Amino acid sequence: MKTAPTTALTAGAELPPLEIPVTRTLIVAGAIASRDYQDVHHDAESARQKGSPDVFMNILTTNGLVGRYITDHFGPTAVLRKVAIRLGAPNYPGDTMVLTGTVEAVDGDTATVRVVGANSLGRHVTGTVTVTVPAAPATAPATEGRS
């Protein structure tokens, strides 16, 4: 269930979790879309030869999913100012990554959000995102009887 974007910035606020099924298609498509042609992101046999049990998600796909998580929550006017992430446990096909976030600090219309993405192996990604959420412009009241 997708919730409506929340634009309120409150330190300590928790963002609702986002479950992302980690499919082989997501891993390969993310690697191709980010022009990361390393074989460990699309060729299971090559990944196994290099010590991995299967293909695994690249950091650019993870970065994009973290950005999506923030903008889905704060809405279409949200502007990502800084994304600083670190990878941990790999995301393999067949797993689910659950993203969670907590607003750590607020300065006017800008917030710093701590983000964690975990899968069955542990923490896949940790980091912070700085996001600006401009105030919605005031709308003019409707006038009656005008043509």
Side-chain angles (χ1 to χ4, degrees):
M1 177 176 87
K2 189 168 181 174
T3 59
T6 303
T7 57
L9 300 176
T10 307
E14 293 190 13
L15 283 62
L18 174 64
E19 291 187 13
I20 300 172
V22 180
T23 65
R24 186 171 307 278
T25 300
L26 175 63
I27 292 169
V28 174
I32 291 169
S34 61
R35 301 175 80 178
D36 182 348
Y37 304 117
Q38 292 293 316
D39 54 7
V40 294
H41 302 307
H42 65 84
D43 183 332
E45 184 56 35
S46 290
R48 282 191 282 278
Q49 288 174 359
K50 293 178 179 171
S52 178
D54 206 339
V55 296
F56 54 91
M57 187 176 286
N58 72 353
I59 192 168
L60 296 171
T61 302
T62 300
N63 195 63
L65 292 170
V66 167
R68 168 197 163 192
Y69 177 57
I70 298 298
T71 58
D72 276 1
H73 179 74
F74 289 106
T77 62
V79 178
L80 301 178
R81 299 293 180 189
K82 180 179 179 184
V83 178
I85 62 171
R86 176 171 288 200
L87 293 183
N91 263 342
Y92 292 118
D95 209 341
T96 299
M97 177 174 65
V98 180
L99 289 167
T100 57
T102 304
V103 178
E104 288 189 328
V106 176
D107 183 10
D109 63 356
T110 301
T112 302
V113 182
R114 174 93 173 133
V115 177
V116 174
N119 60 33
S120 66
L121 299 175
R123 288 185 171 181
H124 169 68
V125 62
T126 56
T128 56
V129 177
T130 304
V131 59
T132 298
V133 184
T139 55
T143 57
E144 293 184 37
R146 289 191 125 180
S147 304

